[in-house]
Amino acid sequence: MNVAFAAPGQPKTGVLVIFCPENKKLLGVAADIDKRTGGHISKAIKAISFEAKREQILDLVAPDKVSFQRIIVAGLGDPDKIAAREVEFLGGAVAGYLQSAKVESALIAADIPVKDHDAATLAALLASGAKLRIYSFDRYKSKKSGNGKGLASLTVLTSQAARAKKVFADYQAVAEGVHFARDLVNEPANKLNPVEFARRVKANGKSGLVVEILTPAQMKRLGMGALLGVAQGSANEPRLVVMRWQGGKRGDKPVAFVGKGVTFDTGGISIKQAAGMEDMKGDMGGAACVTGLMLALARRKAKVNAVGVIALVENMPDGNAQRPGDIVTSMAGKTIAVLNTDAEGRLVLADALWYTQDRFKPKFMVNLATLTGAIMVALGKEYAGLFSNNDDLSQRLYEEGLATGEKVWRMPLAPEYDRMIDFEVADMKNIGGRNAGAITAAQFLQRFVNNVPWAHLDVAGTAMDANRTSINQSWGSGWGVRLLNRLIVEHYEG
Ligand code: BES
Ligand code: ZN
Ligand code: ZN
């Protein structure tokens, strides 16, 4: 979908979207049209008792006296209670309606009375929400859904068109990162294996990202026995991909993001049940988020040094697969008894986390992983689980979660839980028993983190088969790209 910004005023034709607050006081372009048509819009609103609740829609044939064919009134609710995030969601809801109404091109009059936000930002937020919403994964449909091209063009009318365009450029970069992450999660595992994933990351080189791809031989030399143990049952080789963006001051410590990238998780020899196993194509949602984020940072030329590390493996049962009870040695030198081959994400991340802190000495490290079913038992699909050794980083993630709608809820870490993964004949085991499954998984990861501020986001509930929202209708949500981008914007840039 193409987005443009223009000044209101010059006569326009086609489909126009206007906003109406709960108190029905029309503003700007909407008020102007209402006046010129002898109150046509006010009358329509009254006639059907349109309440103008947030995201409610009233679709009207335009009256004779205006150049438009169709006027769509979108409810604002109480503008005094609308937050920036909700303006973005409103843009998404409007775009979703236009798409379902088979509108291919539309204008939006961005007259929204929101305190503390200038007109340019509001216009850009509307466009951002629309951009995020207009996404579909139809690569494997021989007949594309519906006829026509969908919503192909959106023009936002604002008195500050030039500034809005500038603000939107950054939002667009982020939306592209989100779409890229969604594509990766939606791809089936026969199309997206570790080698292909790495290739797609590398293909983004022209964005300015520096991409390195480590092969199994290199990982072996580094001693990544935990990661390689997971990969050994698959005909598809693993890859460790390092993405670097140097937009900050030279010599400034980077911020680091690490992603679990299991392109398919059968469970290995501890094989999963058949029902729902197809969802495990999304077990690389953490890696997809890191990739989308790094792409967004590069595209918007963020003033920060950042590294993204993704560990890509396929977890398969096979004659060469690791067995329950096998003991592997991680890059950290710690030994792990693999009591359940389905608890593979933590094994892969153990080496990826150690490698990242060892090589890059980052300012902080955030990892994302579709790590446990247990986090969904605790939090459902509304919040991702947050585990951290640092209160400031946790607070920031919590706040930016609320600001973006990608919410996180902090869970405990404690020595009592850590003890649950001790093991007689190795340094640790990779499962903790029936209780506190998401926490013991996090404790496991923490054993591979030294003194660096670190947060682990368990995104099993949010990265795939996510709640559908006004800005996302896709199975693979791209969750986390907006959250982590905002974390950087608010606290680590400039
Ligand atoms: N990838 C799964 C976790 C998962 C489950 C993500 C459902 C999304 C939806 C992970 O590798 C796994 O299998 N975890 C096990 C751990 C257990 C064996 C200790 C789990 O959660 O059951
Ligand atoms: Zn698993
Ligand atoms: Zn997994």
Side-chain angles (χ1 to χ4, degrees):
M1 183 191 62
N2 193 50
V3 172
F5 296 89
Q10 307 99 309
K12 309 249 174 14
T13 58
V15 177
L16 173 72
V17 179
I18 59 173
F19 292 104
C20 175
E22 225 168 46
N23 65 12
K24 320 283 162 58
K25 285 210 180 81
L26 298 175
L27 291 167
V29 174
D32 184 51
I33 291 177
D34 201 41
K35 207 154 124 208
R36 276 194 289 132
T37 58
H40 182 93
I41 294 168
S42 318
K43 265 187 226 159
I45 286 171
K46 227 181 187 156
I48 68 140
S49 311
F50 182 67
E51 290 174 287
K53 293 231 167 71
R54 182 117 12 104
E55 300 189 6
Q56 196 185 358
I57 301 281
L58 171 61
D59 197 337
L60 301 172
V61 175
D64 285 347
K65 286 188 189 117
V66 295
S67 55
F68 301 98
Q69 281 81 53
R70 189 168 172 182
I71 294 178
I72 294 170
V73 187
L76 264 184
D78 181 352
D80 287 341
K81 289 195 187 134
I82 196 167
R85 179 181 65 79
E86 290 163 322
V87 175
E88 197 170 36
F89 276 59
L90 187 61
V94 166
Y97 178 79
L98 293 169
Q99 177 100 328
S100 67
K102 306 246 183 313
V103 174
E104 287 179 8
S105 165
L107 299 144
I108 300 188
D111 302 295
I112 322 176
V114 179
K115 293 180 303 202
D116 307 331
H117 284 283
D118 59 278
T121 306
L122 292 171
L125 281 168
L126 279 175
S128 170
K131 187 89 199 170
L132 287 162
R133 170 67 177 257
I134 301 306
Y135 167 87
S136 68
F137 186 73
D138 53 10
R139 182 173 296 176
Y140 301 111
K141 289 260 200 197
S142 53
K143 273 204 201 99
K144 304 296 170 204
S145 56
N147 3 350
K149 39 191 165 111
L151 185 59
S153 144
L154 195 65
T155 303
V156 184
L157 303 177
T158 168
S159 55
Q160 296 186 31
R163 281 207 38 227
K165 188 174 170 198
K166 255 183 135 173
V167 177
F168 179 68
D170 280 3
Y171 294 172
Q172 169 143 359
V174 176
E176 283 166 4
V178 172
H179 287 186
F180 195 74
R182 285 180 191 167
D183 276 349
L184 290 168
V185 176
N186 286 327
E187 281 286 359
N190 64 329
K191 306 289 179 186
L192 192 78
N193 58 36
V195 171
E196 169 62 12
F197 195 136
R199 192 196 63 75
R200 289 196 194 181
V201 177
K202 185 101 190 176
N204 279 313
K206 56 183 180 311
S207 63
L209 278 183
V210 179
V211 179
E212 266 170 85
I213 301 175
L214 275 63
T215 60
Q218 288 168 296
M219 291 186 254
K220 198 163 174 199
R221 257 178 275 148
L222 287 162
M224 296 186 171
L227 188 159
L228 290 169
V230 175
Q232 78 189 29
S234 173
N236 292 305
E237 282 188 358
R239 292 288 185 267
L240 189 94
V241 180
V242 178
M243 294 162 254
R244 270 183 296 166
W245 169 250
Q246 296 279 74
K249 293 195 197 82
R250 267 198 95 134
D252 243 16
K253 280 183 172 181
V255 295
F257 302 93
V258 179
K260 169 179 172 181
V262 177
T263 58
F264 196 81
D265 181 12
T266 62
I269 296 299
S270 313
I271 198 162
K272 289 179 181 295
Q273 63 174 37
M277 201 202 277
E278 66 275 13
D279 282 359
M280 286 301 112
K281 71 171 185 174
D283 206 19
M284 29 53 72
C289 172
V290 170
T291 306
L293 173 69
M294 293 303 293
L295 186 63
L297 295 179
R299 290 245 167 108
R300 69 174 184 80
K301 307 226 175 307
K303 292 190 184 59
V304 69
N305 295 334
V307 296
V309 175
I310 55 175
L312 304 169
V313 301
E314 187 179 51
N315 188 21
M316 296 290 270
D318 163 275
N320 195 44
Q322 67 181 346
R323 295 145 288 254
D326 281 4
I327 295 179
V328 295
T329 304
S330 63
M331 183 181 172
K334 301 175 202 242
T335 57
I336 306 161
V338 181
L339 300 194
N340 188 318
T341 64
D342 196 12
E344 85 298 342
R346 62 198 77 180
L347 297 171
V348 164
L349 283 172
D351 283 334
L353 285 166
W354 188 265
Y355 174 80
T356 304
Q357 80 184 350
D358 194 49
R359 174 167 171 199
F360 297 107
K361 315 275 183 280
K363 206 174 275 174
F364 68 74
M365 201 157 60
V366 172
N367 76 258
L368 298 100
T370 49
L371 203 63
T372 67
I375 199 64
M376 281 187 273
V377 176
L379 300 174
K381 290 181 165 284
E382 314 303 326
Y383 284 72
L386 160 65
F387 301 82
S388 179
N389 61 5
N390 187 284
D391 292 343
D392 291 335
L393 181 58
S394 294
Q395 184 62 23
R396 288 172 175 183
L397 284 164
Y398 175 72
E399 280 167 13
E400 304 318 339
L402 293 180
T404 53
E406 294 180 341
K407 294 178 292 196
V408 300
W409 193 259
R410 193 168 181 186
M411 305 280 287
L413 290 167
E416 294 84 348
Y417 294 116
D418 181 72
R419 244 176 266 139
M420 291 162 75
I421 53 170
D422 285 341
F423 193 57
E424 296 94 316
V425 298
D427 295 338
M428 68 196 89
K429 53 186 174 181
N430 76 330
I431 49 172
R434 255 179 57 80
N435 291 338
I439 304 175
T440 49
Q443 294 290 167
F444 185 97
L445 297 183
Q446 196 178 15
R447 289 195 180 199
F448 298 88
V449 175
N450 292 331
N451 272 328
V452 58
W454 157 78
H456 152 53
L457 301 176
D458 194 333
V459 296
T462 55
M464 62 172 105
D465 192 17
N467 281 337
R468 307 306 202 262
T469 68
S470 297
I471 58 168
N472 178 52
Q473 294 288 310
S474 161
W475 186 85
S477 61
W479 191 98
V481 175
R482 292 168 57 254
L483 166 66
L484 297 174
N485 176 70
R486 190 173 162 111
L487 176 76
I488 291 172
V489 169
E490 296 293 319
H491 302 286
Y492 300 96
E493 240 180 300

